[in-house]
């Protein structure tokens, strides 16, 4: 049973973990306690190729000073060699007597640190403040589970499922409250994706803005799908981040984005791009903003997704329906098994490998 000192140390480890960068590697914090519960040292992971949190904390002590200590860590100590050595072995070599961690490492190669420590006679307790630990690592854990970034596909539509009027005009189908919600959700993403058709037709800035029009602190990296050139005077060139452009296989695109450290991908346009992610089974969440207007015509919000009969319909689970001014937001996720075409979860790069 974890002590009060260990619980306090875990809260501290969770707080300092956030000092590290969010990307390919998880944010991890560690606190070393003496046998009587006093803090000896603390550390966190500062990015790929740098010492892991446990080793960072150990490095702050004189040789032998950690003997008999307790290591409190937000993530199970790794048990493999990447750019750095196994944390499990470093803790054993330092003479640590007890290890307490919040979240099990899901990696096929990096997990097993808890078992290795137990084999060496170290007392191990897992799951301390696991809820807070999972909250800290939520997006990183999703990448490990999926083998790619988590993908949200968003579109706005009329009540009859149209994205634009017959002349192509689409600003604005939804009202200001719905648009503000979109910008808030953009700011939570690492990457925002559109097709070249949207860039050429609408010239979007793809920034995340506050209600007063100012830029939010966090801006997603813009990604353009398609081979057509982005004009030199496109608004995208004014984005705080340089945009990336890809063409070809979406799975390869997502793998590239994962290796760049992207956890959350926000797909925002247009109907062809949205359909591509849906057709390939690569949409983990749908955000559908529905305005109480009728447009008619053939400007559908989503193009062909490969459904040729009702039996092949992509079934969804509605997670929530939120009123936003006069509009509605429907949040939905794929129902049941992963849709056909979705890649199996890969053994993604773990802390220290990239």
């Amino acid at each position: 049973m974890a002590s009060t000192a260990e619980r306090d140390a875990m809260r501290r480890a969770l707080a300092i973990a956030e000092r590290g960068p969010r990307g390919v590697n998880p944010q991890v914090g560690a606190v070393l306690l003496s046998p009587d519960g006093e803090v000896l040292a603390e550390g966190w992971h500062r990015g790929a190729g740098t010492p892991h949190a446990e080793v960072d904390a150990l490095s702050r002590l004189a040789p032998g000073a950690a003997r008999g200590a307790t290591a409190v860590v937000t993530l199970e100590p790794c048990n493999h060699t990447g750019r750095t050595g196994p944390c499990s072995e470093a803790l054993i070599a330092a003479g640590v007597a007890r290890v307490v961690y919040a979240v099990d490492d899901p990696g096929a190669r990096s997990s097993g640190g808890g078992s290795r420590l137990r084999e060496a006679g170290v007392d191990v307790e897992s799951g301390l403040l696991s809820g807070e630990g999972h909250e800290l690592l939520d997006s990183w854990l999703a990448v490990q589970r999926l083998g790619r970034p988590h993908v949200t596909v968003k579109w706005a539509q009329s009540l009859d499922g149209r994205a634009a009027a017959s002349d192509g005009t689409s600003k604005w189908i939804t009202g200001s409250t719905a648009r503000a919600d979109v910008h808030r959700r953009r700011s939570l993403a690492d990457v925002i994706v559109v097709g070249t058709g949207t860039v050429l037709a609408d010239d979007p800035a793809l920034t995340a803005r506050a209600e007063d029009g100012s830029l939010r602190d966090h801006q997603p990296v813009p990604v353009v799908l398609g081979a057509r050139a982005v004009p030199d005077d496109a608004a995208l060139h004014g984005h705080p981040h340089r945009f990336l452009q890809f063409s070809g296989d979406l799975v390869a695109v997502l793998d590239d984005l994962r290796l760049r450290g992207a956890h959350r991908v926000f797909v925002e346009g247009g109907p062809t791009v949205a359909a591509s992610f849906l057709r390939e089974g690569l949409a983990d969440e749908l955000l559908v903003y529905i305005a109480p207007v009728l447009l008619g015509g053939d400007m559908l919000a989503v193009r062909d997704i490969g459904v040729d009969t009702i039996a092949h319909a992509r079934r969804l689970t509605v997670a929530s329906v939120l009123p936003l001014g006069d509009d509605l937001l429907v949040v939905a996720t794929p129902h049941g098994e992963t849709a056909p075409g979705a890649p199996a979860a890969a053994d993604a790069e773990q802390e220290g490998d990239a």
Side-chain angles (χ1 to χ4, degrees):
M1 180 69 68
S3 68
T4 299
E6 289 169 348
R7 287 182 174 275
D8 290 343
M10 182 63 78
R11 292 188 183 95
R12 176 61 180 167
L14 290 165
I16 62 176
E18 295 189 52
R19 297 179 183 177
R22 192 167 70 85
V24 172
N25 304 314
Q27 294 171 298
V28 181
V31 175
L32 298 176
L33 299 177
S34 69
D36 60 1
E38 296 298 318
V39 174
L40 297 173
E42 59 185 34
W44 64 92
H45 183 54
R46 289 167 168 78
T50 65
H52 293 189
E54 302 92 319
V55 175
D56 184 46
L58 289 169
S59 71
R60 302 174 190 281
L61 297 177
R67 187 162 302 281
T70 294
V72 179
V73 194
T74 56
L75 181 67
E76 179 185 11
C78 70
N79 194 45
H80 81 301
T81 299
R83 292 189 184 183
T84 59
C87 290
S88 56
E89 299 298 338
L91 292 168
I92 292 166
V96 168
R98 176 169 161 82
V99 172
V100 180
Y101 65 87
V103 178
D104 291 327
D105 190 323
R109 288 187 301 145
S110 55
S111 63
S115 297
R116 174 68 187 102
L117 289 161
R118 290 186 182 94
E119 289 172 359
V122 177
D123 182 34
V124 177
E125 180 173 338
S126 63
L128 178 62
L129 301 186
S130 63
E132 291 89 334
H134 278 88
E135 183 177 355
L136 169 70
L137 295 172
D138 177 61
S139 62
W140 180 82
L141 290 169
V143 174
Q144 311 317 303
R145 183 179 71 254
L146 295 167
R148 56 168 175 78
H150 180 277
V151 175
T152 294
V153 177
K154 167 264 174 184
W155 68 81
Q157 66 173 58
S158 62
L159 197 59
D160 55 347
R162 269 57 181 176
S166 58
D167 65 354
T169 56
S170 60
K171 294 184 178 180
W172 297 99
I173 290 177
T174 56
S176 59
T177 304
R179 297 198 299 273
D181 186 73
V182 170
H183 280 277
R184 180 184 67 81
R185 292 174 187 270
R186 282 183 181 182
S187 72
L188 301 176
D190 300 308
V191 168
I192 182 169
V193 177
V194 296
T196 51
T198 295
V199 172
L200 297 174
D202 297 339
D203 193 26
L206 298 184
T207 51
R209 297 184 294 277
E211 292 188 39
D212 63 2
S214 62
L215 294 179
R216 290 178 176 265
D217 291 339
H218 177 73
Q219 295 292 320
V221 174
V223 168
V224 179
L225 299 181
R228 287 181 289 177
V230 174
D232 292 339
D233 60 350
L236 267 180
H237 293 290
H239 195 284
H241 299 296
R242 183 184 299 274
F243 72 87
L244 304 172
Q245 187 165 8
F246 300 93
S247 60
D249 181 63
L250 289 181
V251 172
V253 170
L254 290 175
D255 192 53
D256 188 297
L257 293 175
R258 177 182 67 83
L259 293 175
R260 294 173 186 265
H263 292 180
R264 301 185 182 101
V265 172
F266 194 79
V267 179
E268 197 170 329
T272 300
V273 169
S276 297
F277 279 89
L278 291 168
R279 187 168 55 249
E280 296 299 319
L282 296 173
D284 304 301
E285 178 183 54
L286 302 182
L287 302 177
V288 183
Y289 294 83
I290 304 173
V293 298
L294 299 175
L295 295 176
D298 58 1
M299 303 294 283
L300 297 175
V302 178
R303 304 291 190 223
D304 177 33
I305 61 171
V307 175
D308 54 6
T309 180
I310 195 66
H312 297 159
R314 302 294 178 90
R315 301 293 178 182
L316 304 173
T317 298
V318 174
S320 61
V321 178
L322 305 173
L324 296 170
D326 292 332
D327 307 310
L328 291 177
L329 168 61
V330 177
V331 181
T333 56
H335 178 68
E337 296 297 322
T338 303
D347 182 20
E349 300 290 341
Q350 301 293 319
E351 182 186 5
D353 282 351

